[in-house]
Amino acid sequence: MSLSDLKYDVNLSIVFTELPLLERPAAAAAAGFDAVELWWPFDTNPVPDDQDVDALVKALESAGTQLVGLNFIAGDMPGGDRGWLSRPADSAGFLANIEATVALAERTGTRVLNALYGNRVPGVPAREQEDLAVDNLAIAARAAARIGATVVVEALNSYESPDYPIVSTEAALALIDRVRTEGGVDNVAFLADLYHLGRMGEDLHQVIAEHADRFGHVQIADIPGRGQPGTGELDFTGLLGALAASPYQGHVGLEYKPQGPSAASFTGLPGHS
Ligand SMILES: O=C(O)C(=O)CO
């Protein structure tokens, strides 16, 4: 695959936030995209009302956009939460959310489901949280397998998420290996967010060269401000060229904070016309 064959999708939880959620799919379509992704779109409600789900599905369908990535519930994201699945007090909510997420993914044809791990809980031994995470990821993966979906695990950066323990490719891959081995599942993969990994000082070309065969999804933003490509220091033509030449064949999620109006933020995207 060459750079011009790369498929982008727009993260509608962080791009087009000038608009109400249900108007964002049409805005992405008007900007030339047929694929979008979302963080869990129903705040801290693990099991949304049917009419809210119907309204979202209708907005995606009438815009002609495919939802290619969806996050499981992650808690109060603006308040600093970054997932529920490793947190004993939130685990039941995560388990309740699995069926709602898989049902929405089935309706929308979404095959990548992002499971944020969760911040460390003071007073709970790390090993206890790790074991809970492995169990819950395996349960999520078995549910996702029913619709042919993959659960992806993401490394964040410790500057913005200081209590989130998965902050390197190595840590994410080790967790994924545990889930696959102990949970007996094979549909768990790595979400390579080049912004977070770059913020952590990883060699992004090396990550792509060594691990692209384990990527279940890729997301991008420029460093250090998390703006669109061209607003920071990353060489996206080189990076995305390497990604296009790698075994990874999936979408590249535009998960950045637009510097300026969202509709004007796509001009520096290599291969996007
Ligand atoms: O919380 C973040 O920064 C994310 O990238 C969530 O997917």
Side-chain angles (χ1 to χ4, degrees), residues 24-198:
R24 296 178 202 167
F33 297 92
D34 62 6
V36 297
E37 62 180 43
L38 282 170
W39 297 349
W40 180 246
F42 306 106
D43 300 317
T44 54
N45 182 1
V47 184
D49 294 339
D50 287 347
Q51 63 264 35
D52 291 336
V53 175
D54 291 346
L56 176 62
V57 172
K58 189 168 164 222
L60 291 164
E61 284 175 357
S62 50
T65 49
Q66 171 70 47
L67 185 68
V68 298
L70 174 65
N71 285 18
F72 290 95
I73 197 163
D76 174 15
M77 295 275 287
D81 287 349
R82 288 293 179 272
W84 278 1
L85 64 91
S86 68
R87 298 169 59 88
D90 298 319
S91 175
F94 177 75
L95 292 173
N97 177 248
I98 290 175
E99 289 307 319
T101 301
V102 170
L104 174 54
E106 185 168 28
R107 280 184 71 178
T108 51
T110 310
R111 294 296 174 259
V112 174
L113 303 178
N114 182 15
L116 286 173
Y117 182 95
N119 293 327
R120 282 279 180 251
V121 183
V124 176
R127 185 69 193 186
E128 196 179 311
Q129 275 192 260
E130 282 162 25
D131 291 346
L132 182 61
V134 169
D135 288 348
N136 283 341
L137 282 167
I139 293 168
R142 282 192 279 275
R146 295 201 312 261
I147 60 162
T150 297
V151 171
V152 290
V153 174
E154 174 176 18
L156 302 182
N157 75 76
S158 60
Y159 301 100
E160 292 160 325
S161 301
D163 299 321
Y164 190 90
I166 310 297
V167 289
S168 67
T169 300
E170 189 184 3
L173 292 179
L175 173 63
I176 291 163
D177 286 342
R178 261 197 82 188
V179 178
R180 292 171 76 105
T181 307
E182 295 176 28
V185 291
D186 58 11
N187 59 328
V188 185
F190 181 39
L191 194 173
D193 185 316
L194 301 186
Y195 165 71
H196 291 305
L197 300 177

Side-chain angles (χ1 to χ4, degrees), residues 201-215:
E202 295 205 27
D203 178 335
L204 298 176
H205 280 281
Q206 191 180 347
V207 172
I208 293 168
E210 291 182 1
H211 302 298
D213 60 335
R214 302 195 59 181
F215 293 176

Side-chain angles (χ1 to χ4, degrees), residues 229-246:
T231 57
E233 63 198 43
L234 289 182
D235 165 22
F236 280 99
T237 303
L239 284 171
L240 295 176
L243 187 68
S246 83

